[in-house]
Amino acid sequence: MDTTNHLIKEYVESPEKLKRMYKKVLMVVSLSQIFGGAGLAAGVTVGALLAQQMLGTDAFAGLPSALFTLGSAGAAFIVGRLSQRYGRRVGLTSGFIAGGLGAIGVIIATLINSVFLLFLSLFIYGAGTATNLQARYAGTDLADKKQRAKAISTTMVMTTFGAVAGPNLVEVMGKFAQLFNIPSLAGPFILSAVAYIMAGCILFIMLRPDPLLLAKAIEAHQQQQSDGIAPAITFSNKKGIIIGAVVMILTQIVMVAIMTMTPVHMQHHGHSLGAVGIVIGFHIGAMYLPSLVTGVLVDKVGRTAMSIASGITLLLAGLLAAYAPSDSMFILIVALSLLGLGWNFGLISGTAQIVDSTEPSSRAKVQGTIDVFIALAGASGGALSGIIVANSSFTTLSLIGGILSLLLIPVIIWYRKA
């Protein structure tokens, strides 16, 4: 313990060493995000198709998305609390390992044809999604205010490599699974299990010293130097937390709802599993790849402007998805790419707002709590999407999503007036 305190003191007293540590944290988190991105892609791409196959109906096709998103809500809370108490290393490692175990459970469920085990495993698998999102905060722990959005975007853009590769490996992993008499739709979950466990191992081995514990030590050192007590979160800080949370919650509902039912919509109109993988690959690429540019824009143009841009982009995505000809893969790619881009704008601007409004002493706990609401919002979007499509159409779902995204604009205006 004394050795740890001595190391932390070295970073506190040496700005240059702290700067190098900040770069190391970004590198380690980014590396874990490559694997984490590959892990989350399986559930997104084939989760709905797997449920449709095992249950024999479209009405519950949105349930897998709801389950692993609901699971991610519980995991976000636990990972946030673990991170606050023991540091990012312990919290994030635990979440990724749990996600990997959930993916293994999905594979076993398909082998024994157990719907109960499938749903339970998807719930646990959601821990990987939550952890993948929470990892974005780790990069900001040692960043100053002018670097925060860029730090978020750096870790997120690395997710692209795994997240885009995942859906495009659907057919390959399906054939690989069949070699072992595993149903082809369970194949991508083999990739998820390996990827999530690898992400957890990378963080556990390489994320030393822990960035959040180091940020807390710096905060304590600054308090000691000034002989004062750091102020608690003020009313205006709470407003910042509220607006950041609302932006991320609304964008999550719209994105998850439309994304979840796109594979089912495509299969109904004769598109192959490979085509589904390509469309979802473009969508996930648009969720993460623009992050570096988005991060710079959020830092330069401002959190508010980019939040409004998120609402407008999601509206365009909803309208395009609603009126795209069912046989036009190109327009579906554009629509789902816009959907990913709008989510990207909302997540980075909202996350930056949350980081701006919290202190290291409470940051991970607040972030974990907010991610719970984001996950619950996604679960609601996933569950309702199947019901809406079963009772109406994919067009109706897309229009509802586009209109809902417009709520971001009055929320932003209210915040600016307040």
Side-chain angles (χ1 to χ4, degrees):
M1 187 67 183
D2 289 338
T3 306
T4 302
N5 289 335
H6 176 70
L7 282 171
I8 288 175
K9 188 178 179 183
E10 282 184 25
Y11 286 105
V12 169
E13 294 176 353
S14 173
E16 190 57 38
K17 197 169 184 179
L18 185 63
K19 189 176 179 181
R20 288 198 299 271
M21 180 59 192
Y22 164 66
K23 290 179 179 177
K24 179 192 170 184
V25 169
L26 281 184
M27 183 195 74
V28 173
V29 175
S30 296
L31 183 59
S32 75
Q33 289 293 82
I34 295 174
F35 290 97
L40 69 86
V44 168
T45 310
V46 299
L49 299 175
L50 196 57
Q52 182 193 36
Q53 185 181 81
M54 290 182 73
L55 295 170
T57 175
D58 287 352
F60 300 105
L63 202 53
S65 176
L67 282 168
F68 66 69
T69 311
L70 194 61
S72 75
F77 182 83
I78 295 168
V79 170
R81 291 303 190 274
L82 285 174
S83 298
Q84 188 67 55
R85 186 163 185 178
Y86 301 108
R88 300 286 187 193
R89 180 170 156 264
V90 171
L92 296 177
T93 298
S94 302
F96 275 132
I97 297 297
L101 293 174
I104 292 170
V106 170
I107 297 164
I108 295 170
T110 61
L111 284 171
I112 63 176
N113 199 32
S114 171
V115 173
F116 173 77
L117 181 59
L118 173 69
F119 288 167
L120 177 63
S121 299
L122 284 168
F123 182 82
I124 298 169
Y125 167 79
T129 307
T131 310
N132 209 58
L133 271 178
Q134 287 227 3
R136 75 194 188 277
Y137 290 120
T140 68
D141 287 329
L142 301 177
D144 61 40
K145 190 170 182 178
K146 293 180 181 178
Q147 295 175 310
R148 285 169 181 167
K150 187 178 178 182
I152 297 161
S153 63
T154 300
T155 55
M156 282 184 63
V157 79
M158 297 305 289
T159 311
T160 311
F161 295 101
V164 172
N168 288 293
L169 289 173
V170 164
E171 283 191 308
V172 174
M173 292 307 299
K175 290 174 183 176
F176 177 75
Q178 287 177 332
L179 295 175
F180 302 94
N181 294 319
I182 297 171
S184 59
L185 284 177
F189 284 95
I190 299 173
L191 175 64
S192 287
V194 174
Y196 276 154
I197 291 169
M198 281 293 296
C201 290
I202 287 167
L203 290 167
F204 187 76
I205 295 167
M206 300 176 67
L207 199 62
R208 301 166 183 264
D210 192 279
L212 182 59
L213 298 182
L214 188 52
K216 284 184 182 180
I218 293 169
E219 183 186 36
H221 177 76
Q222 290 171 343
Q223 288 181 36
Q224 192 175 18
Q225 291 293 101
S226 61
D227 292 323
I229 298 173
I233 295 175
T234 63
F235 185 74
S236 59
N237 293 135
K238 288 180 180 177
K239 286 276 186 176
I241 291 170
I242 290 169
I243 191 65
V246 169
V247 168
M248 290 191 286
I249 286 168
L250 280 176
T251 53
Q252 186 78 356
I253 289 174
V254 174
M255 187 276 290
V256 170
I258 297 175
M259 174 197 69
T260 297
M261 294 310 297
T262 297
V264 176
H265 170 70
M266 289 181 68
Q267 281 220 320
H268 279 327
H269 291 90
H271 294 279
S272 68
L273 192 58
V276 171
I278 290 170
V279 171
I280 296 298
F282 271 96
H283 165 68
I284 296 178
M287 286 171 66
Y288 296 101
L289 195 57
S291 294
L292 283 178
V293 176
T294 306
V296 173
L297 288 172
V298 171
D299 280 335
K300 299 286 185 185
V301 178
R303 281 65 164 144
T304 300
M306 293 306 294
S307 296
I308 292 173
S310 170
I312 294 170
T313 307
L314 289 172
L315 172 64
L316 292 174
L319 291 174
L320 202 55
Y323 295 111
S326 57
D327 60 345
S328 176
M329 192 170 152
F330 173 75
I331 297 180
L332 277 173
I333 287 173
V334 175
L336 268 290
S337 296
L338 285 173
L339 186 70
L341 184 63
W343 177 86
N344 178 273
F345 288 168
L347 187 77
I348 294 180
S349 59
T351 301
Q353 188 74 56
I354 297 298
V355 177
D356 290 346
S357 305
T358 53
E359 301 295 334
S361 56
S362 62
R363 183 168 294 156
K365 186 166 67 174
V366 172
Q367 290 163 344
T369 302
I370 289 167
D371 276 6
V372 169
F373 289 107
I374 294 170
L376 290 173
S380 302
L384 291 172
S385 64
I387 295 169
I388 291 170
V389 171
N391 290 284
S392 182
S393 66
F394 182 73
T395 299
T396 303
L397 174 68
S398 300
L399 287 174
I400 290 172
I403 294 167
L404 187 61
S405 65
L406 285 181
L407 287 176
L408 284 175
I409 296 173
V411 168
I412 296 291
I413 292 170
W414 165 78
Y415 171 68
R416 287 181 65 86
K417 287 182 178 179

